[in-house]
């Protein structure tokens, strides 16, 4: 079977020089001439072929750029260099890791831009982070270099998809984020340690977790808590998690000590080993290629389609944690590592804030659970909060609020809203002043104690949500219950009929008017999702 993913045909003079570069000799293929080819009068022409049997130099994506690690290396022409020297301080307009081509489980090629100056695809500019599906006939323009894409016809699509999956499984995989975040992390490319046992350091950073503290009103590199680097042992790749200081890794080490020897590898990320380095602990874990947050950004509709399965797997993981008296405390989309879309496979990670039930404290979920926000108001503005409750004729709740596993259930409800409705619930305006937020929260508390609180229209309005289909609303009311002692447990949440809450069922429960209103609200709040 032909294992060619696609061929890139030169359509500019500068691109022909790329084909003459010795670095690309193993990618050259002879093809029939296509529109735009300019190779004398021959009926055959040369093109660059991306094949399943030829893995990328780094990771699982074919990189196009100026760097040595690029699979297709581009070099500025003399005219471009003169322009750069005159107008751009000698800096090339082609980034070292300009863009990358990757294929999904179905074998469909996509291009993601990772450059400063953008990539032109079919006449339209795309900027850093944009991902576009490539089709037969797509034209890619990078400065003076132009390629015409040809995707061969697949006589047996099922066989091709099988070969794609086989190539992805047998190929040593590193995260897609390595090249995408290379420039963002350029100031921190040096590894935290010099040596790490039998593991080879790559200097490729996957991500970092920041604390909530800022300096002079801004966030900088001083407030990182942990970072993850890709490391290699033989032909296998893993993720090494470094902590800035020993005390910052204490929570995660305690969690792993409680989970040791009894870890369900299906739902929680696999721990390989722990290095007790002199500066801080280093945790070696299985490597992931992306998170559910990445899927939401790349293809929101696919994320919604597999949302029921994601929620089921999340609650399986929470049942295990809560049975061990462990609270995650920081459930985010980034905490759910996506190993496969078809069939859906996610694993829970990110235990740097985890704790025992008696020390539970939600630190990352936005919005905070009602009990957390009320405790914050009692500590930071106790007198104002008491006067506010008195003005609104609301009886103050008991001082000892329930802060345990219910914090994770609230966070799961927030994730559920984002997956199914593409928005997060809010009981106050996050951009308002603290006093205004306190007043809105007090009104929310008062409304939650009334008998008609769970009336469909009233409930969705209090949480500032678009119209919610009935079945999904029942599930969310169990997860987003304001009173923590009445909130569902992980076992009760798992028993919700998630299989009936797929995207088609969600849309089926709305009439045309509600569906239109929901889509309008989703569009108006898209700009805020990144801040939630």
């Amino acid at each position: 079977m032909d294992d060619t993913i696609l061929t890139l045909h030169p359509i500019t003079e500068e691109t022909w020089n790329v084909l003459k570069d010795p670095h690309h000799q193993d990618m050259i293929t002879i093809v029939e001439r296509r529109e735009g080819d300019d190779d004398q009068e021959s009926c055959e022409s040369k093109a660059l072929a991306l094949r399943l049997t030829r893995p990328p130099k780094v990771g699982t994506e074919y990189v196009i750029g100026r760097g040595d690690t690029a699979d297709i290396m581009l070099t500025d022409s003399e005219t471009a260099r003169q322009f750069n020297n005159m107008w751009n301080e000698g800096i090339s307009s082609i980034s070292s890791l300009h863009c990358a081509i990757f294929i999904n489980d179905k074998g469909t090629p996509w291009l993601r831009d990772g450059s400063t100056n953008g990539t032109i695809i079919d006449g339209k500019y795309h900027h850093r982070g944009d991902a576009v599906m490539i089709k037969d006939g797509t034209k890619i323009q990078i400065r003076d270099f132009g390629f015409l894409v040809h995707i061969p016809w697949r006589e047996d699509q099922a066989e091709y998809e099988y070969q794609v999956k086989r190539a992805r499984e047998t190929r040593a995989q590193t995260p897609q984020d390595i090249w995408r975040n290379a420039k963002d992390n350029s100031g921190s490319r040096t590894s935290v340690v010099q040596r790490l046992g039998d593991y080879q350091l790559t200097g490729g950073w996957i991500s970092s977790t920041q604390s909530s503290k800022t300096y002079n009103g801004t966030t900088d590199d001083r407030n990182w808590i942990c970072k993850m680097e890709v490391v290699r042992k033989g032909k296998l790749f893993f993720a090494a998690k470094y902590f800035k200081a020993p005390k910052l890794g204490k929570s995660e080490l305690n969690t792993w000590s409680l989970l040791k020897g009894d870890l369900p590898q299906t739902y929680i990320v696999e721990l390989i080993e722990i290095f007790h380095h002199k500066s801080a602990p280093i945790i070696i874990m299985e490597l992931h290629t992306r998170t559910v947050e990445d899927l939401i950004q790349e293809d929101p509709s696919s994320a919604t389609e597999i949302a029921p399965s994601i929620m089921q797997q999340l609650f399986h993981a929470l049942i295990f944690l809560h049975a061990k008296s462990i609270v995650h405390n920081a459930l985010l989309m980034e905490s759910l590592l996506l190993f496969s879309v078809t069939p859906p496979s996610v694993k829970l990670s990110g235990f740097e804030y985890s704790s025992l039930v008696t020390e539970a404290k939600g630190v990352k979920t936005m919005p905070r659970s009602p009990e957390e926000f009320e405790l914050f108001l009692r500590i930071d503005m106790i007198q104002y909060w008491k006067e506010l409750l008195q003005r609104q004729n609301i009886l103050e709740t008991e001082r000892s609020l329930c802060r345990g596993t219910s914090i994770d259930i609230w966070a799961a409800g927030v994730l559920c809203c984002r997956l199914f409705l593409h928005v997060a619930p809010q009981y106050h305006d996050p951009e308002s002043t603290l006093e205004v937020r306190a007043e809105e929260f007090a009104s929310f508390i008062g409304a939650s104690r009334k008998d008609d609180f769970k009336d469909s229209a009233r409930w969705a309005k209090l949480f500032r949500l678009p119209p919610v289909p009935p079945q999904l609303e029942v599930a969310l009311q169990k997860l987003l219950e304001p009173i923590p002692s009445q909130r569902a447990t992980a076992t009760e949440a798992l028993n919700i009929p998630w299989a009936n809450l797929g995207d088609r069922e969600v849309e089926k429960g709305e009439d045309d008017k509600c569906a239109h209103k929901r889509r309008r609200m989703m569009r108006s709040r898209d700009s805020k999702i990144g801040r939630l």
Side-chain angles (χ1 to χ4, degrees):
M1 183 192 124
D2 184 11
D3 67 344
T4 302
I5 303 169
L6 56 82
T7 52
L8 297 170
H9 301 249
I11 54 176
T12 62
E13 182 179 350
E14 288 76 7
T15 315
W16 276 108
N17 295 328
V18 176
L19 271 65
K20 298 175 184 177
D21 192 320
H23 290 95
H24 306 129
Q25 290 308 304
D26 61 337
M27 300 177 67
I28 297 295
T29 184
I30 304 299
V31 296
E32 294 183 4
R33 291 195 56 177
R34 293 179 57 82
E35 180 184 356
D37 290 348
D38 186 18
D39 189 15
Q40 289 83 34
E41 298 179 356
S42 171
C43 62
E44 294 183 337
S45 178
K46 294 181 179 180
L48 298 176
L50 303 185
R51 296 187 174 92
L52 294 175
T53 52
R54 182 195 179 278
K57 289 183 179 179
V58 178
T60 59
E61 299 184 340
Y62 299 88
V63 175
I64 304 175
R66 193 167 42 86
D68 293 336
T69 58
D71 296 278
I72 300 177
M73 298 173 60
L74 306 181
T75 305
D76 283 321
S77 63
E78 183 61 32
T79 303
R81 282 195 290 269
Q82 292 177 2
F83 176 86
N84 294 331
N85 291 333
M86 182 177 298
W87 300 104
N88 204 23
E89 299 180 355
I91 302 174
S92 174
S93 56
I94 301 174
S95 300
S96 297
L97 304 169
H98 200 95
C99 60
I101 295 173
F102 63 94
I103 55 175
N104 61 15
D105 292 338
K106 296 293 186 182
T108 304
W110 287 68
L111 184 143
R112 183 189 288 108
D113 182 79
S115 67
T116 302
N117 298 306
T119 303
I120 302 176
I121 303 176
D122 287 334
K124 182 180 178 180
Y125 261 103
H126 293 271
H127 303 282
R128 179 186 290 271
D130 290 353
V132 182
M133 185 172 70
I134 301 175
K135 301 177 181 179
D136 187 38
T138 294
K139 291 185 178 180
I140 303 171
Q141 188 78 26
I142 303 173
R143 189 61 182 172
D144 298 327
F145 301 91
F147 296 94
L148 179 68
V149 176
H150 172 55
I151 300 177
W153 179 69
R154 315 291 182 194
E155 184 173 0
D156 190 343
Q157 181 65 20
E159 173 65 16
Y160 175 67
E161 291 177 12
Y162 170 77
Q163 295 295 344
V164 169
K165 292 179 181 179
R166 185 177 177 183
R168 289 164 65 93
E169 291 170 358
T170 56
R171 186 180 299 158
Q173 298 197 7
T174 58
Q176 301 170 354
D177 309 68
I178 289 180
W179 69 268
R180 185 172 57 184
N181 296 330
K183 185 172 182 179
D184 295 338
N185 296 313
S186 58
S188 307
R189 296 290 287 176
T190 304
S191 183
V192 177
V193 295
Q194 296 299 320
R195 292 185 57 81
L196 192 58
D198 297 330
Y199 295 89
Q200 178 183 350
L201 307 173
T202 67
W205 297 100
I206 307 173
S207 61
S208 65
T209 301
Q210 303 288 326
S211 72
S212 56
K213 295 180 180 180
T214 58
Y215 296 87
N216 299 323
T218 60
T219 301
D220 63 20
D221 193 54
R222 288 178 292 177
N223 66 344
W224 65 277
I225 293 176
C226 60
K227 294 183 177 182
M228 296 185 69
E229 179 184 4
V230 177
V231 295
R232 182 172 183 170
K233 188 176 183 179
K235 294 184 178 181
L236 301 177
F237 289 84
F238 302 94
K241 190 172 188 176
Y242 306 100
F243 290 89
K244 189 174 183 180
K247 64 178 182 180
L248 297 176
K250 184 177 179 180
S251 294
E252 181 146 354
L253 289 179
N254 290 340
T255 298
W256 287 120
S257 66
L258 293 172
L259 298 177
K260 188 176 181 181
D262 192 20
L263 189 65
Q265 297 182 4
T266 307
Y267 306 115
I268 295 179
V269 66
E270 182 182 358
L271 172 69
I272 306 300
E273 59 181 304
I274 298 176
F275 285 91
H276 295 281
H277 195 263
K278 59 182 179 180
S279 60
I282 301 173
I283 300 174
I284 309 296
M285 299 178 292
E286 64 178 319
L287 187 64
H288 66 280
T289 56
R290 56 178 174 168
T291 65
V292 173
E293 179 64 35
D294 294 327
L295 180 63
I296 290 176
Q297 298 299 327
E298 295 169 7
D299 190 358
S301 59
S302 294
T304 303
E305 288 176 7
I306 66 173
S309 180
I310 291 176
M311 297 305 299
Q312 287 177 316
Q313 294 178 65
L314 170 59
F315 287 120
H316 273 294
L318 291 181
I319 288 173
F320 179 79
L321 291 180
H322 294 174
K324 298 282 187 179
S325 298
I326 299 172
V327 182
H328 189 281
N329 282 325
L331 283 180
L332 300 170
M333 291 298 183
E334 293 87 343
S335 307
L336 298 175
L337 308 183
L338 184 64
F339 286 84
S340 171
V341 176
T342 308
S345 175
V346 297
K347 292 187 180 183
L348 183 60
S349 68
F351 298 107
E352 55 268 15
Y353 291 103
S354 57
S355 68
L356 294 175
V357 172
T358 55
E359 303 168 354
K361 183 180 180 181
V363 293
K364 285 286 187 177
T365 302
M366 285 295 175
R368 298 182 184 182
S369 62
E371 60 269 28
E372 282 294 311
F373 190 62
E374 184 171 350
L375 184 64
F376 164 74
L377 294 175
R378 286 180 176 179
I379 294 174
D380 278 35
M381 47 193 310
I382 179 62
Q383 192 59 39
Y384 180 82
W385 175 243
K386 285 185 176 182
E387 293 175 357
L388 184 59
L389 292 178
Q390 189 175 7
R391 286 201 307 268
Q392 297 195 19
N393 295 320
I394 300 174
L395 294 176
E396 188 173 5
T397 55
E398 296 180 5
R399 188 164 185 79
S400 57
L401 293 172
C402 175
R403 300 169 68 216
T405 56
S406 58
I407 287 177
D408 284 347
I409 303 302
W410 172 271
V414 174
L415 299 187
C416 184
C417 283
R418 284 203 58 194
L419 285 168
F420 283 97
L421 303 176
H422 299 234
V423 293
Q426 294 289 350
Y427 47 70
H428 60 63
D429 186 352
E431 297 182 352
S432 301
T433 62
L434 182 56
E435 289 76 11
V436 173
R437 280 183 283 163
E439 291 180 6
E440 292 177 343
F441 177 67
S443 300
F444 171 79
I445 291 297
S448 68
R449 298 179 184 177
K450 295 181 180 180
D451 295 336
D452 62 346
F453 171 65
K454 292 189 177 181
D455 175 72
S456 296
R458 181 177 178 81
W459 184 86
K461 185 176 181 180
L462 285 171
F463 277 102
R464 306 184 182 212
L465 292 172
V468 183
Q471 288 182 306
L472 179 60
E473 183 182 66
V474 172
L476 289 176
Q477 287 180 354
K478 294 179 180 180
L479 304 179
L480 299 176
E481 166 60 50
I483 303 174
S485 59
Q486 298 179 15
R487 204 170 294 155
T489 63
T491 302
E492 292 170 347
L494 179 62
N495 291 331
I496 294 173
W498 294 104
N500 299 330
L501 300 181
D503 186 53
R504 293 181 180 177
E505 285 74 13
V506 168
E507 295 293 343
K508 193 190 302 180
E510 305 174 15
D511 55 28
D512 293 340
K513 185 177 180 180
C514 289
H516 174 72
K517 184 177 180 181
R518 174 171 172 264
R519 288 191 293 268
R520 186 180 62 200
M521 291 184 68
M522 286 164 52
R523 287 194 297 270
S524 67
R525 293 181 64 175
D526 276 348
S527 60
K528 296 183 181 180
I529 288 179
R531 298 194 294 271
L532 298 178

